[in-house]
Amino acid sequence: MIEINNLSFARGNSLIFKDISFSIKPGEVMVIQGPNGKGKTTLLLNIIQLLDPLNGDVRLNGQKIDSQTASDCFLYLGENHFAYDQMTLNQNIDYWLSIHNVEFTKEIINKSIKYLFGELNLDKKFYQLSFGQKKKLQLLLLMLVNKPIWILDDPFNGLDNNTIKKITTLLAKKIENKGSIIIASHQDLSIPHRKFKLT
Amino acid sequence: MINNFIRLLKNELSLMIKGSIFTFVLFCLLMIASSIFSLALRHISFDIEIPLAFLLIMIFFISLIKVEKVYASDFSEAKLQQYILSPFALEIIVFVKNIMIYLNLIFLFLIFSPFILIILNINLSYLISINLLLALSLLSIVFISSMTASITISRNNKLSITSVLTLPLFVPILIVSMAISNVIDFDTNKLYLFFLAYFLLNLAFSPLLTSFALKKLSV
């Protein structure tokens, strides 16, 4: 279970959010909503320990999260693309799977690619892809990197309806397997979820 | 884990090879700079120390530009977030990237060095000694440059002048290189050992400081 206790964060002299508390049990989805600039992304970065909070803490099963726990448990997909422009799709997939210490056979990787992309030339350079395709490449990690908690920042942005359905299916499967998901999104999910509004 | 580390090395190497054109351009600029240097000082006779000092300073700047270019693209915010959450420590990723930058620079330097030596009017009999000197000193230079680059590219650091704080670390390399060039035929094994020792010293704290600066200043 993830517990967020009285979390506050400030950037310079401006307070981004104050005294945020909620918890997420295994098998739950928490959708963080709020207007632009209210600190949704900052809250996610605080949860995964990429930013240090002003006050409060984040606990996983009662233990304070350190960098080792964060890298063992969290898969974070942010708004921006992380793939290398000069590499092909194939090379990017291989690179990021090696970074996440994941080893799969070509067959499994190709199946996952086919599920998300349909037919796609894997020898294309990353910069040749459209915004949606770039986003899909990141979301491919959801299928291949096995970590118990997914932290997703606006995962549906730029995706077509068909892909949104596929991603929602992936989220549903994750919940079935008792994983936890925290999503910052303006969109409503079609699977059972709780909401936390940042005001 | 070891298999994936080897895959990581392979991928980093291919990434670095793709970035070789930029290094090639930098070395072409070094040739032009060397030509201007030689032309400007054509009426003055001097020993090997002056062109060697010029060469070392230029190599330092080339290394700094190359490391900053690689770091600016490879440690952008989104990539850095993935690196921090990966099972490999950020220090290891920094180390691997530095070694790949070093290999890239030294490989191109070895190709360019005969031409540069001719332009700088240095006797070609010193070619192997100068290559050895540069190969050893460049290891430390790249690791010092990585500390400088990690501060320079940071988003949250308002004072990029702080990156200048790492520059004095380059001074011992320059001094010892000059000392080596003073000895006939560069025959000073003990001084060469200095570079190894200095590299080990850099190896001990540079990846730590670089990754600390990246984590604290760039996320």
Side-chain angles (χ1 to χ4, degrees):
Chain A
M1 186 162 93
I2 311 164
E3 293 163 275
I4 286 114
N5 305 313
N6 303 315
L7 208 66
S8 305
F9 183 81
R11 223 182 263 278
N13 290 330
S14 92
L15 193 66
I16 308 290
F17 52 75
K18 196 182 168 193
D19 291 335
I20 287 176
S21 299
F22 59 83
S23 61
I24 306 135
K25 290 178 194 146
E28 267 190 343
V29 181
M30 174 67 82
V31 178
I32 297 166
Q33 292 186 324
N36 293 334
K38 287 291 171 190
K40 295 187 290 296
T41 303
T42 310
L43 175 59
L44 296 185
L45 294 177
N46 270 272
I47 293 171
I48 56 174
Q49 306 295 302
L50 288 181
L51 288 177
D52 297 325
L54 186 67
N55 280 319
D57 60 28
V58 183
R59 288 173 184 269
L60 183 67
N61 302 325
Q63 300 282 321
K64 251 188 152 183
I65 297 173
D66 55 19
S67 56
Q68 183 61 47
T69 321
S71 75
D72 287 345
C73 300
F74 294 128
L75 175 65
Y76 174 76
L77 297 181
E79 285 175 301
N80 299 324
H81 306 302
F82 52 74
Y84 283 96
D85 278 337
Q86 64 270 44
M87 278 181 162
T88 64
L89 267 177
N90 241 338
Q91 289 168 330
N92 261 309
I93 292 166
D94 191 53
Y95 181 84
W96 290 105
L97 289 183
S98 69
I99 283 287
H100 283 283
N101 196 25
V102 176
E103 233 172 322
F104 278 120
T105 57
K106 272 259 180 271
E107 205 184 353
I108 294 174
I109 295 170
N110 286 342
K111 262 188 184 173
S112 313
I113 293 167
K114 204 163 188 182
Y115 176 77
L116 266 188
F117 289 91
E119 291 302 322
L120 186 75
N121 178 8
L122 292 175
D123 293 324
K124 263 188 176 178
K125 292 266 167 73
F126 184 72
Y127 70 84
Q128 294 173 312
L129 301 181
S130 71
F131 182 83
Q133 284 175 319
K134 284 179 179 175
K135 189 90 183 178
K136 280 188 205 174
L137 183 75
Q138 290 184 206
L139 292 166
L140 193 70
L141 289 188
L142 295 180
M143 300 176 77
L144 298 169
V145 179
N146 185 23
K147 290 191 181 179
I149 303 157
W150 289 355
I151 312 279
L152 311 174
D153 193 356
D154 221 349
F156 305 118
N157 182 26
L159 297 180
D160 56 58
N161 288 336
N162 193 24
T163 314
I164 291 175
K165 269 185 200 162
K166 285 177 182 174
I167 299 299
T168 312
T169 312
L170 285 178
L171 300 182
K173 274 194 181 158
K174 185 72 180 172
I175 303 164
E176 264 177 43
N177 296 329
K178 295 288 170 203
S180 304
I181 305 169
I182 304 175
I183 304 178
S185 177
H186 297 287
Q187 212 158 343
D188 271 327
L189 283 180
S190 56
I191 51 171
H193 63 275
R194 284 165 55 210
K195 276 184 192 170
F196 183 85
K197 287 210 170 178
L198 278 169
T199 47
Chain B
M1 191 93 173
I2 292 168
N3 275 350
N4 282 320
F5 183 69
I6 293 165
R7 263 168 73 204
L8 174 67
L9 287 178
K10 212 179 81 187
N11 286 323
E12 284 291 349
L13 188 68
S14 83
L15 202 59
M16 204 48 67
I17 291 168
K18 285 183 189 1
S20 292
I21 294 169
F22 182 72
T23 322
F24 184 84
V25 171
L26 286 176
F27 276 103
C28 288
L29 290 174
L30 172 63
M31 298 237 310
I32 295 168
S34 305
S35 311
I36 295 168
F37 175 84
S38 291
L39 279 171
L41 300 179
R42 66 189 180 280
H43 297 305
I44 307 164
S45 68
F46 44 73
D47 288 332
I48 189 173
E49 293 95 348
I50 291 169
L52 190 63
F54 167 80
L55 192 59
L56 269 164
I57 291 166
M58 291 307 286
I59 289 289
F60 177 68
F61 283 122
I62 285 176
S63 155
L64 204 59
I65 294 166
K66 174 72 184 173
V67 173
E68 279 196 15
K69 169 108 182 357
V70 171
Y71 272 46
S73 71
D74 291 12
F75 290 113
S76 63
E77 197 185 354
K79 289 187 182 89
L80 191 57
Q81 287 163 351
Q82 294 303 319
Y83 287 139
I84 293 172
L85 289 177
S86 97
F88 294 107
L90 188 59
E91 288 81 0
I92 291 177
I93 293 166
V94 163
F95 171 77
V96 169
K97 285 203 184 284
N98 285 355
I99 292 295
M100 293 305 161
I101 293 170
Y102 168 76
L103 291 176
N104 189 258
L105 286 171
I106 200 66
F107 178 71
L108 277 162
F109 180 76
L110 292 179
I111 295 170
F112 275 83
S113 58
F115 306 106
I116 294 169
L117 260 56
I118 292 167
I119 293 170
L120 288 174
N121 203 19
I122 299 174
N123 194 331
L124 274 179
S125 62
Y126 292 133
L127 182 67
I128 293 170
S129 308
I130 288 178
N131 280 342
L132 180 66
L133 186 71
L134 258 299
L136 286 170
S137 57
L138 196 59
L139 266 171
S140 302
I141 292 174
V142 168
F143 277 82
I144 294 166
S145 305
S146 80
M147 285 190 282
T148 317
S150 63
I151 299 169
T152 313
I153 63 159
S154 60
R155 284 188 315 135
N156 303 336
N157 183 20
K158 304 282 185 293
L159 295 167
S160 26
I161 192 77
T162 46
S163 57
V164 176
L165 290 173
T166 57
L167 296 186
L169 293 170
F170 170 63
V171 175
I173 296 172
L174 194 63
I175 292 171
V176 176
S177 301
M178 290 307 99
I180 288 176
S181 68
N182 268 329
V183 183
I184 299 163
D185 291 336
F186 293 78
D187 188 21
T188 48
N189 292 334
K190 276 182 190 166
L191 285 175
Y192 281 120
L193 277 178
F194 162 82
F195 291 112
L196 216 55
Y198 199 58
F199 167 63
L200 290 176
L201 186 70
N202 272 305
L203 193 61
F205 64 82
S206 168
L208 282 172
L209 288 178
T210 305
S211 52
F212 178 80
L214 287 169
K215 272 184 205 167
K216 291 292 166 196
L217 298 174
S218 290
V219 179

